[in-house]
Amino acid sequence: MAAAALLMTTACASTHPGTASGAHDPLEPMNRAVFEFNRVTDRVLLKPVSAAYIAVVPEAPRQGVSNVMRNLREPWVFLNDLLQFKFDRAGATLGRFILNSTVGIAGLFKVSDDVGIPYHSEDFGQTLATWGIGDGPYLVLPFVGPSNGRDAIGFAANVYGDPVTLTLQEIDDSKKFFDLSLTRTAIEAFDARVRFHNEIDELYKEDDPYVVARSVYWQRRRYEIYDGAPPEPEEDLFDQLEEQQAAIEAEDAARPD
C-alpha cells in the first residue's frame, strides 16, 4: 500500500509540486471538512485536557516528558540523516543521542544543548523530498492535521519504521507492540499539543484559520527540507512575460501622439 501510494504521490508531484508561494490544494473542500473536524475535536477534547495538564503539572516535569520523546526520535533522525547523505549531521545526531541517553538519564535532560550540539529534525518526508519526490496535493489528515501526499507516506514510515519501533517489535509480541507504538504516537501528539497550546489557540482566532495553517505548514516544511535556508521562490515565467507586456503598454501610453 505504501509503495502504491508513493507512486501515486510521485505522479501527482511531477505535475503539481506546489506553487511558488504555497501548497497545491486541489482537495480544498474535503480538506476544510477534515480541518473543521479536527478543530471541533481539539476544542471539545484536546484543549481542555491540555489546559488541565499545564495547570496541574509543573513546567519542569512537562519539559522532561518532551525531552524523553525527542530523544526517542533521535535514532529515526539519525537514519534519515544517513539516507540524505548528511553525514556530519548524522554524527551530531548520534553524539547527541548517546550523550542525552547516558548523562541526560534516558533523555530526561537535554545535556547536548548545554555542550553546543543543537537539535535538528529529520523525517522520512524530508528524505523523500531530498530524493526528488514533490509535495503532491495538500492534505489535512484526521487527528494529525496538515500534510501532503509525500509527507503522508513519511508519517506512516515514522510511526512504523523507526528503529525504536522495530526494537519494540523484536522484544514483544505483535499485539503488545502495536499498543506500545500507538501509545508512543499518542503521547508525542499530546506533547506537541501542550507545547503549542497558545499558538493553536491563536490560530483558531484567525478569520480563516484553514488558510493560515496551510501557509504555516508549507513554509515550515520548506524550512526543514532545506535545513533552515530555503531558496527564494523563482518567479513564474508567465508572470515575467505579463510584467514585461504591462511595462511596454505603459511606455506606449506615455508617448505623445
Side-chain angles (χ1 to χ4, degrees), residues 18-252:
T19 68
S21 59
H24 175 63
D25 191 5
L27 305 174
E28 183 171 341
M30 180 192 74
N31 284 333
R32 281 187 176 273
V34 178
F35 182 87
E36 181 62 18
F37 168 79
N38 288 345
R39 187 191 69 82
V40 172
T41 302
D42 182 81
R43 300 294 90 178
V44 172
L45 179 62
L46 297 180
K47 180 182 178 179
V49 176
S50 175
Y53 178 73
I54 293 172
V56 173
V57 180
E59 182 178 356
R62 297 201 312 266
Q63 185 61 55
V65 172
S66 297
N67 295 345
V68 170
M69 301 314 297
R70 192 183 81 168
N71 195 57
L72 289 175
R73 288 194 298 271
E74 294 282 32
W76 186 237
V77 174
F78 172 73
L79 180 58
N80 281 281
D81 281 333
L82 294 180
L83 291 174
Q84 297 174 40
F85 307 109
K86 299 174 181 177
F87 300 116
D88 289 343
R89 287 165 69 90
T93 300
L94 181 60
R96 188 171 57 240
F97 177 68
I98 294 174
L99 185 62
N100 290 335
S101 297
T102 54
V103 181
I105 313 175
L108 191 61
F109 302 100
K110 296 186 291 185
V111 181
S112 58
D113 289 0
D114 298 331
V115 298
I117 309 178
Y119 175 78
H120 69 269
S121 175
E122 295 288 352
D123 56 55
F124 196 61
Q126 293 169 250
T127 296
L128 292 176
T130 63
W131 290 354
I133 306 299
D135 297 353
Y138 177 72
L139 299 172
V140 180
L141 303 179
F143 302 108
V144 176
S147 185
N148 58 42
R150 179 193 61 222
D151 287 348
I153 304 301
F155 176 75
N158 294 344
V159 173
Y160 292 102
D162 76 277
V164 173
T165 300
L166 296 177
T167 300
L168 292 174
Q169 187 175 21
E170 289 294 325
I171 64 177
D172 219 324
D173 61 89
S174 58
K175 183 179 184 302
K176 185 67 66 66
F177 153 73
F178 179 79
D179 292 343
L180 290 172
S181 179
L182 187 61
T183 300
R184 177 191 169 194
T185 302
I187 293 174
E188 285 188 325
F190 180 70
D191 176 63
R193 178 60 179 85
V194 171
R195 286 186 289 111
F196 296 103
H197 183 83
N198 294 329
E199 289 81 355
I200 293 174
D201 284 348
E202 291 301 317
L203 168 67
Y204 288 135
K205 294 177 182 177
E206 296 286 345
D207 292 337
D208 192 344
Y210 174 83
V211 171
V212 175
R214 182 179 62 190
S215 177
V216 169
Y217 175 78
W218 183 82
Q219 293 179 54
R220 181 179 64 83
R221 288 305 281 169
R222 277 177 54 82
Y223 183 88
E224 292 173 340
I225 290 168
Y226 289 101
D227 297 334
E232 292 293 331
E234 295 182 3
E235 189 174 10
D236 187 83
L237 175 61
F238 293 104
D239 290 342
Q240 295 179 18
L241 293 175
E242 289 178 357
E243 291 176 0
Q244 293 174 5
Q245 183 63 31
I248 293 173
E249 292 176 354
E251 290 178 0
D252 291 341

